[in-house]
Amino acid sequence: MEATLLYEGKAKKIFETDNSDEVIINFKDDATAFNGGKKNTFSEKGRVNLAFSKFFFDLLHQKGITTHVVSFIDEISMRAKKVDIIPLEVVVRNFAAGSLCRRLGFEKGMELKPALCEFYLKDDSLNDPILCREHIRYMNTVTEEELAYIEQQALNINEIIYSFMDSKGITLVDYKLEFGRTRDGQIILADEISPDTCRFWLKGTMESLDKDVYREDKGDLVSSYKRLADILGLTL
Ligand code: UDP
C-alpha cells in the first residue's frame, strides 16, 4: 500500500506511518537557492544530504541533544518523531557571510563573538523575513520560555558542531536550524543539518564546501560535498 503523503516541501516529502507519533521523511534530489528562485536537480542530492544529517545528528545525540530522529531507514529516508514545525528559522553565525553582509554591509569573514543568533519567519510567501524578539512575541507561536530554550539549544549545538568541525580543519561559518513541537509539547531539533543548511569554509580560508558553491556558481556542488565528506571520514 502507498504511504500517505502528509506534506511536500522544497527538499523533503513527509509520509504518514502506522505510528501516529512518527513520520517518514524522504529527502528529495532538488537543490534550490534564493528561496526557490534558482532551481536545479542533482541526481544524488537527497542521499548526500541525508548522509550528512545522519552524521551531524549522531554527533549531537552523543552530546545529549534531543532531536526528531528515530532511525535511518535507507539512503534517502529516515523515521522521525512527528512534530509541528515552529515557523522560525533559527540562524547561528560565527562569521559574517551571506545575507548579513548583503543587508548590513558587514565584511565577509568578520568574526562574530559571541556567536550571533537570529530568527527568521519561515514563510516563503513573505521571503522568510528577519524577526526581532518583539515581532515573535506578537506571533504567539512560541512562549518567551520556549524562545529562550530554542536560542540556548541553538547556541549549544553551535559549540558542539563548531569545535568538532574545527578539529577537522573546517570552519562552521553559520547555519540554519528548525525546531518542532511534539504532541506532548516537547521542543526538539528537527529538519536537517547538511551543507545545504550550513556554511563551511576550509579553515583559514573562505573556500566554501557548502551550498554557496551552487548559489555562487563556484564549481560542482556534489564534488564539493564529497570533498567535505572525505574530510569528515564519511562514506557517501
Ligand atoms: N539557510 C538555510 N535556509 C534558508 C536560509 C538560510 O538553510 O532558507 C542557511 C544558509 O545555508 C546559511 C545560513 O542559513 O548557512 C544563513 O543564511 P543567510 O541568512 O546568510 O542567507 P543566504 O545568504 O543563504 O540567502
Side-chain angles (χ1 to χ4, degrees):
M1 199 181 71
E2 287 267 300
T4 306
L5 181 68
L6 293 174
Y7 169 80
E8 178 162 1
K10 281 178 287 190
K12 296 180 201 73
K13 289 181 185 171
I14 316 278
F15 294 95
E16 209 172 65
T17 68
D18 46 13
N19 178 337
S20 62
D21 287 330
E22 294 179 2
V23 291
I24 287 173
I25 304 178
N26 186 264
F27 280 57
K28 305 195 319 186
D29 282 334
D30 290 348
T32 58
F34 305 114
N35 201 4
K38 184 177 177 189
K39 202 164 193 305
N40 227 321
T41 297
F42 297 86
S43 59
E44 297 182 278
K45 271 304 251 75
R47 185 173 70 74
V48 168
N49 278 338
L50 183 60
F52 278 111
S53 288
K54 177 177 185 316
F55 183 87
F56 289 117
F57 281 130
D58 284 347
L59 174 68
L60 294 177
H61 292 158
Q62 283 164 26
K63 302 284 183 185
I65 302 283
T66 307
T67 78
H68 69 150
V69 174
V70 175
S71 62
F72 292 91
I73 300 169
D74 59 28
E75 287 194 327
I76 54 160
S77 332
M78 62 182 275
R79 185 177 273 263
K81 287 182 198 141
K82 187 173 187 175
V83 292
D84 286 325
I85 291 286
I86 293 164
L88 294 176
E89 299 200 338
V90 184
V91 170
V92 177
R93 301 176 187 272
N94 297 300
F95 291 88
S99 71
L100 191 66
C101 300
R102 290 198 300 272
R103 212 160 30 82
L104 302 182
F106 282 17
E107 191 183 344
K108 183 177 173 184
M110 183 178 101
E111 190 171 13
L112 303 166
K113 216 169 182 177
L116 173 65
C117 182
E118 301 172 330
F119 299 96
Y120 293 79
L121 180 64
K122 191 172 151 63
D123 185 333
D124 285 347
S125 68
L126 295 174
N127 280 322
D128 298 345
I130 192 163
L131 300 169
C132 63
R133 280 142 182 84
E134 286 74 16
H135 295 143
I136 300 172
R137 215 169 273 152
Y138 286 106
M139 291 176 172
N140 288 322
T141 49
V142 282
T143 65
E144 294 277 335
E145 292 71 31
E146 286 174 334
L147 189 64
Y149 175 77
I150 288 170
E151 178 166 10
Q152 192 53 56
Q153 279 293 91
L155 292 170
N156 293 345
I157 290 165
N158 186 47
E159 293 213 346
I160 295 168
I161 301 182
Y162 185 91
S163 47
F164 177 83
M165 296 305 278
D166 189 62
S167 75
K168 301 282 179 190
I170 301 282
T171 300
L172 173 63
V173 177
D174 59 30
Y175 59 89
K176 182 264 304 180
L177 300 174
E178 294 183 22
F179 290 82
R181 195 184 278 105
T182 61
R183 202 184 354 204
D184 58 11
Q186 193 190 6
I187 294 204
I188 56 177
L189 180 65
D191 196 48
E192 69 174 273
I193 304 177
S194 74
D196 266 15
T197 60
C198 305
R199 282 194 173 90
F200 296 117
W201 291 344
L202 282 172
K203 198 165 156 179
T205 77
M206 289 194 276
E207 188 179 336
S208 302
L209 292 179
D210 58 58
K211 198 169 166 181
D212 275 351
V213 172
Y214 167 73
R215 288 190 189 98
E216 297 169 10
D217 287 323
K218 287 195 287 201
D220 176 51
L221 184 68
V222 175
S223 52
S224 295
Y225 283 22
K226 287 195 166 147
R227 186 166 169 209
L228 179 66
D230 282 346
I231 294 170
L232 299 179
L234 175 63
T235 311
L236 291 180

